Amino acid sequence: MMDLALRVDRLEAFAEDAKVRLVRIETRLDAMEAHMATKADLASLETRLIKWFIVTAFAITTVMSGVAVAIVKLIH
């Protein structure tokens, strides 16, 4: 019977420790949640990145076309 009481005491101590740890984890998660991106934030970021890629590709193409035209004019 003493063995059972000892086991119960240990389980109760473990439960208390687990409760304290869980509170700490929840506190950290609440603090992190304030800095997390929402679905709307991610959708907005995706749109901006696509626009940036398109504009950058167009700018590179334009610059390289200008360089090619300048080289052709210098050669001929």
Side-chain angles (χ1 to χ4, degrees), residues 23-70:
V23 168
R24 284 193 307 212
I25 291 170
E26 287 176 340
T27 303
R28 285 184 184 174
L29 287 176
D30 288 343
M32 288 171 47
E33 189 175 8
H35 301 290
M36 289 182 176
T38 63
K39 287 183 181 181
D41 293 337
L42 294 176
S44 173
L45 177 63
E46 180 184 22
T47 303
R48 285 187 297 171
L49 283 173
I50 290 171
K51 287 179 183 177
W52 186 85
F53 287 144
I54 291 170
V55 169
T56 302
F58 180 74
I60 290 172
T61 303
T62 303
V63 168
M64 293 310 293
S65 296
V67 169
V69 168

